[in-house]
Amino acid sequence: MSYTTPPWCQPPSSSTAWSIDEIKSGVLVSTHALTLPSTTFGRATDVVTIPTLHESCSRVHARIAFDSSGVAWLRDLGSGNGTTVNGKRMPPQSIGKEILPSDDAGGSASSRKEGARGVIVYPGDTIRLGASTRMYCLNGPQEFDRGAIRAKLEAAKIDALNQKQQLLQAQQLEEQQGNSNHNNAESGGISWGLDISDPTEEEDGVDASVQPTSNSKAGPILESDVPDRHRKLYEALRTKQYKLDNILEESRRIEAKGTHGDLTDGQRTRLEQNSSRAEELRAKIEEAEIELKEKIWGAGSAGTRKKKRSLEQSSRNAQEDDDVDNFFDKTAEKRRRAASDQEEGSGEAETEQSLTAKWKRLIADLNNTAAEVAGLKRRVDHTAARVAAADVAGDDDAFFMRNDLDLMQDNLRSVSEKEKAV
């Protein structure tokens, strides 16, 4: 048996000091320096870097490898008795033989899929192999601590979102310039030096120190346009946009699965929930953008008045719809009460049989609701455990699983209230 290091592995920088402590029964047995692109563990002393003598360990059990950014990845190489990190078993997608370009019929795509490199491990993490009581405690630079790595990932996502916004702004600017040239051509090339979007008088509350870049009033708000005193509003807006992007990405993944077969009822329900949540977020994002633009450039900027009127009209329409619904709800309630009064006034007394039937229906409803509550509690506990495991493993899908957990908890609260009412 042999082991081949994947091509993506790189030795850690000489300026970083990675090592792993081998501990048995609370006693430090040895400290192994991690200087190679990939360090292997197992019983095959002629193959692996760090031999493990316990019979429950496989010949080539697991490996720790470093990528070009210096991040450490742990993968179980298809061992018979598994590997745990901080007492939790590794997720299935991070277990199996190493994926190499020569094994990948589709090129290198499979080697980049989720879990192919394993799971990220951080300084302070404890690893156990098989049933061995030996613990391997990872040591590394502070810059690779769990919180630091996650901050880097979040910063990378924010940078990607910034680039997307800048690209969108550039496209909108090109379209507006094209429309302006077309309008000038139609008017014989005459320009009166006025633009309908130009402010004709100084607005109260405008930051005089902030000069919008190019056509930033009409496009997305760039970070460079935001003064320090409005930074919190901008970050709140970015958070909403990030949540919307994640929801849309999850919906795209589910829809992609549908191209290869029918979606399950749960997946279709999830798409409907995502669609509703995306609409709510879009409305909140639009309101937040209007508020922030008004604080930066004034109440007349970027058509905010028009957008405000549109939002107010939508709110009025929604209120009118609610009033209509309330009217019909009240009418239906009056009819039910009238029918109930008529039934009570009919002079027919309740019999022992009718009271017994009502009691049995109530007991059945209570039992069904109790069973539903118990099932939901089990699902909530199971999903909470999955979220915790995903957080430990640094899994990107932890965000989506946390959304599922929030929905389940809301559903559990609703059914619990229904149980109390019964």
Side-chain angles (χ1 to χ4, degrees):
M1 176 178 287
S2 62
Y3 172 79
T4 303
T5 300
W8 57 266
C9 299
Q10 301 288 332
S13 170
S14 58
S15 62
T16 60
W18 287 90
S19 64
I20 194 163
D21 292 336
E22 184 176 348
I23 301 172
K24 182 178 181 181
S25 302
V27 178
L28 178 63
V29 176
S30 179
T31 297
H32 307 275
L34 302 180
T35 57
L36 301 174
S38 179
T39 299
T40 51
F41 302 78
R43 289 189 296 107
T45 56
D46 58 332
V47 176
V48 301
T49 315
I50 301 177
T52 56
L53 304 179
H54 200 274
E55 63 271 10
S56 67
C57 296
S58 299
R59 287 177 54 80
V60 182
H61 193 103
R63 64 101 176 109
I64 293 177
F66 297 90
D67 63 17
S68 57
S69 300
V71 176
W73 295 82
L74 172 68
R75 183 171 179 83
D76 184 306
L77 298 174
S79 66
N81 293 298
T83 304
T84 62
V85 180
N86 300 329
K88 296 182 179 180
R89 284 194 169 271
M90 296 178 62
Q93 60 267 36
S94 63
I95 299 174
K97 72 172 187 175
E98 201 77 80
I99 298 175
L100 301 171
S102 58
D103 301 328
D104 187 1
S108 60
S110 296
S111 62
R112 294 194 301 268
K113 70 180 182 180
E114 181 184 1
R117 296 185 177 186
V119 296
I120 298 177
V121 283
Y122 307 90
D125 283 351
T126 301
I127 303 167
R128 282 193 175 184
L129 309 174
S132 174
T133 58
R134 292 182 185 241
M135 297 187 302
Y136 296 87
C137 185
L138 188 63
N139 305 310
Q142 187 176 3
E143 62 186 283
F144 291 97
D145 285 348
R146 190 179 304 276
I149 291 293
R150 288 189 174 176
K152 288 181 180 178
L153 293 175
E154 289 297 324
K157 290 178 180 178
I158 290 175
D159 288 342
L161 185 59
N162 270 337
Q163 292 176 2
K164 185 188 296 184
Q165 286 183 330
Q166 289 173 357
L167 179 61
L168 178 61
Q169 182 190 9
Q171 291 174 345
Q172 290 177 341
L173 182 58
E174 288 179 1
E175 291 176 0
Q176 289 167 358
Q177 288 176 342
N179 292 337
S180 176
N181 293 337
H182 178 69
N183 292 336
N184 285 341
E186 287 185 347
S187 61
I190 299 174
S191 174
W192 299 106
L194 293 176
D195 188 310
I196 195 170
S197 63
D198 289 338
T200 56
E201 59 183 22
E202 189 174 346
E203 303 273 1
D204 291 336
V206 180
D207 286 326
S209 61
V210 179
Q211 296 298 328
T213 58
S214 67
N215 203 22
S216 55
K217 287 186 179 183
I221 303 172
L222 298 181
E223 188 171 3
S224 58
D225 296 330
V226 183
D228 290 339
R229 62 176 175 171
H230 299 318
R231 183 66 53 182
K232 287 186 179 180
L233 282 176
Y234 178 70
E235 293 300 334
L237 172 62
R238 295 291 305 281
T239 300
K240 292 183 179 68
Q241 291 169 333
Y242 177 59
K243 287 182 179 179
L244 177 61
D245 286 345
N246 281 328
I247 290 172
L248 296 177
E249 177 62 26
E250 183 186 23
S251 296
R252 281 193 290 270
R253 290 183 184 182
I254 296 174
E255 290 168 351
K257 292 178 182 178
T259 60
H260 304 291
D262 293 335
L263 295 176
T264 64
D265 291 340
Q267 289 171 334
R268 282 191 285 268
T269 301
R270 185 64 174 173
L271 282 176
E272 293 174 0
Q273 292 171 342
N274 282 358
S275 177
S276 176
R277 291 167 61 205
E279 287 302 319
E280 292 176 4
L281 275 173
R282 287 191 183 100
K284 291 180 179 179
I285 288 170
E286 188 173 3
E287 291 177 1
E289 283 181 340
I290 292 173
E291 180 183 1
L292 185 54
K293 285 183 177 181
E294 287 183 348
K295 288 186 178 295
I296 297 174
W297 298 308
S301 63
T304 53
R305 289 173 179 169
K306 182 177 179 181
K307 287 186 177 181
K308 263 192 167 180
R309 285 196 298 270
S310 176
L311 289 173
E312 290 169 357
Q313 182 62 39
S314 299
S315 177
R316 283 195 296 271
N317 291 342
Q319 182 63 42
E320 290 172 2
D321 291 342
D322 289 343
D323 291 343
V324 173
D325 290 342
N326 289 337
F327 170 78
F328 286 110
D329 288 343
K330 290 176 181 177
T331 303
E333 181 64 25
K334 288 179 181 178
R335 289 175 180 171
R336 283 194 294 270
R337 288 179 181 175
S340 177
D341 293 342
Q342 184 178 359
E343 183 178 349
E344 290 178 359
S346 61
E348 296 181 4
E350 290 278 10
T351 64
E352 181 180 353
Q353 290 82 358
S354 65
L355 289 172
T356 302
K358 285 184 177 181
W359 174 252
K360 287 182 178 180
R361 283 197 298 271
L362 285 173
I363 293 297
D365 289 343
L366 182 60
N367 290 336
N368 291 337
T369 308
E372 187 177 359
V373 168
L376 283 171
K377 285 182 177 177
R378 287 194 298 271
R379 289 178 60 195
V380 166
D381 292 341
H382 175 68
T383 305
R386 287 180 59 205
V387 169
D391 284 337
V392 170
D395 194 338
D396 290 339
D397 284 342
F399 172 82
F400 303 116
M401 287 188 279
R402 199 172 289 106
N403 285 344
D404 292 336
L405 179 60
D406 291 340
L407 291 173
M408 289 180 190
Q409 289 172 336
D410 290 342
N411 195 14
L412 176 60
R413 282 191 289 271
S414 175
V415 177
S416 297
E417 291 174 0
K418 177 183 175 183
E419 181 184 25
K420 291 177 182 178
V422 174

